[in-house]
């Protein structure tokens, strides 16, 4: 009963939102380094040089066609540059994770820290040393690293020179990067994921592709799928004990009413998520996507051996993020963009977070079941949490009962997925176990952590770390293996 004895109680982060040190240790720029902050209502902006040589900022939703390059303007503030500075605080932070009792810690590797321009033949040794230090320090405390090779983090040079993942040469560059990680960190890391939220990799920020046609997006995705499959094969060959997974942004979705048209719409909306796992777990392109390509006159350029590679390079597990659920109604455009529905439709049974995300713990249990029923591989919840504004009280404490409530209800739902439904969930990683920059808005005030970091939305702050009330609560959850929530 309850959680298995070897359950991985974790915490999750990503280099582009946490690491900082953007110009230190020989690191090159990544696409995200060119994107400044926004807010819940104002989209983040990219700094670009256009065909006439003018430097300006534009919304990340505007077309980048005709843009010569994306760049960094030294007068502007970019949240990824310092982020919450894991680069200089790793020892202190890992000690705090150990005190919290984490069994596992999820982080990502900055591609441009190991390969500053993305296509060098030798890795940057200073970058390798940084991650070796981190993994050894985690090992010292018995904390198992869960490493995402690529969390929305493409070297800028590859975007400016060859349009990122739209170019097939990216496969070889990524495979060299993956090979370097598997071989240099062998024995220190056993759990890997190839690409974060692969179903969200559809814009410049996440792929380096400045061409936003559907044709180009699916072509880039084909390259990403192949790169992932090759990385899985290489990772298994280097160390057969490696567990290498995919990572999906998941949300449960419901038909708003029993109008069969709404039910059908909901069913179709599930394909938008399943497509990615169908390729990465089952190993081939599903029929509904081939039909969609036909309708949209999309022709994917492939080479001989591509389909075999997809079949042979399937993943060992599914990691997924889960924050909210969604409802679909016939006749309404209910797509999800940056965590928000295009036409927000309230589910009358649920409340929304301050950032409009519909809170739904039972949806997590449903998600676990949907994924395991269809794919029959172990699942890991590698992101879950509540983005909220925290206040420091006069006595210096930070009380975050709202975050505790959210986590408690979701862990309870997870327990039911394991205990009642028999889903082999192997780990749970609250997102941003320490405060980090928000991906969608670039804000600091949208905090997820159990450890507060003194930093504001303009990049001012001492970076001092401070435990929140949720720190003690989660420590007890881990210590009792989820018995005391
Ligand atoms: C996921 C990403 C993370 C993360 C999280 C929370 O989409 O994998 O990088 O940030 O969502 O989103 P946000 O930071 O926008 O609140």
């Amino acid at each position: 009963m309850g959680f298995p004895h070897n359950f991985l109680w974790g915490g999750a982060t990503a280099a582009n939102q946490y690491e900082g040190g953007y110009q230190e240790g020989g690191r090159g720029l990544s696409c995200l380094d060119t994107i400044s902050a926004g807010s819940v209502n104002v989209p983040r902006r990219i700094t670009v040089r256009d065909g006439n040589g003018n430097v300006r900022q534009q919304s990340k939703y505007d077309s980048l066609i005709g843009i010569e390059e994306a760049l960094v303007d030294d007068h502007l503030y970019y949240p990824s540059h310092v982020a919450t500075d894991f680069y200089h605080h790793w020892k202190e932070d890992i000690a705090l994770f150990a005190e919290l009792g984490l069994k596992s810690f999820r982080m990502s590797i900055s591609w441009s820290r190991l390969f500053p321009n993305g296509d060098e033949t030798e890795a940057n040794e200073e970058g390798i040393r940084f991650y070796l230090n981190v993994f050894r320090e985690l090992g010292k405390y018995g904390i198992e690293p869960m490493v995402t090779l690529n969390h929305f983090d493409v070297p800028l040079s590859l975007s400016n020179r060859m349009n990122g993942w739209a170019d097939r040469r990216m496969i070889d560059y990524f495979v060299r990067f993956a090979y370097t990680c598997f071989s240099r960190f062998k024995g220190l890391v056993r759990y890997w994921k190839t690409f974060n939220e692969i179903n969200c990799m559809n814009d410049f920020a996440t792929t380096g592709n400045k061409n936003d046609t559907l044709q180009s997006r699916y072509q880039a995705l084909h390259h990403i799928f192949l790169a992932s499959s090759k990385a899985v094969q290489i990772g298994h060959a280097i160390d057969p004990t490696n567990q290498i997974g995919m990572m999906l942004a998941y949300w449960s979705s419901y038909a708003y009413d029993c109008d069969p048209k709404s039910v059908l719409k909901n069913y179709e909306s599930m394909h938008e998520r399943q497509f990615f796992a169908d390729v990465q777990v089952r190993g081939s392109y599903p029929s509904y996507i081939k039909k969609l390509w036909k309708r949209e006159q999309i022709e994917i350029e492939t080479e001989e051996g591509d389909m075999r590679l997809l079949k042979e390079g399937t993943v060992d597990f599914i990691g997924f993020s889960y924050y909210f659920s969604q409802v679909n109604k016939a006749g309404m455009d209910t797509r999800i963009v940056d965590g928000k529905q295009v036409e927000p439709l309230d589910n009358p049974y649920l409340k929304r977070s301050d950032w409009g995300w519909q809170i739904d713990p039972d949806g997590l249990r449903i998600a676990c079941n949907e994924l395991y029923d269809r794919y029959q591989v172990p699942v890991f919840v590698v992101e879950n949490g509540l983005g909220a504004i925290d206040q420091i009280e006069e006595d210096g404490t930070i009380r975050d009962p709202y975050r505790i409530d959210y986590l408690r209800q979701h862990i309870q739902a997870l327990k039911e997925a394991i205990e009642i439904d028999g889903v082999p969930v192997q780990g749970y990683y609250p997102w941003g176990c320490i405060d980090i920059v928000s991906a969608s808005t670039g804000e600091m005030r949208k905090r997820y952590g159990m450890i507060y970091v003194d930093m504001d939305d303009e990049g001012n702050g001492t970076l001092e770390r401070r435990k929140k009330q949720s720190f003690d609560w989660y420590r007890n959850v881990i210590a009792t293996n989820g018995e005391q929530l």
Side-chain angles (χ1 to χ4, degrees), residues 17 151-152 196-197 323 357 383 431 437-440 446 448:
Q17 292 158 264
H151 194 122
F152 303 158
N196 180 64
E197 293 192 336
Y323 293 92
W357 292 10
E383 286 184 29
W431 177 248
V437 174
S438 155
S440 54
K446 188 180 188 190
Y448 286 87

Side-chain angles (χ1 to χ4, degrees), residues 314-331:
T314 54
V315 294
D316 302 316
F317 66 86
I318 297 177
F320 69 100
S321 60
Y322 177 86
Y323 293 92
F324 54 77
S325 65
Q326 176 210 10
V327 280
N328 284 299
K329 187 168 164 52

Side-chain angles (χ1 to χ4, degrees), residues 127-139:
I128 300 272
R129 262 199 307 282
F130 170 67
Y131 293 112
L132 278 174
N133 284 337
V134 166
F135 297 141
R136 288 186 183 130
E137 191 73 6
L138 289 167

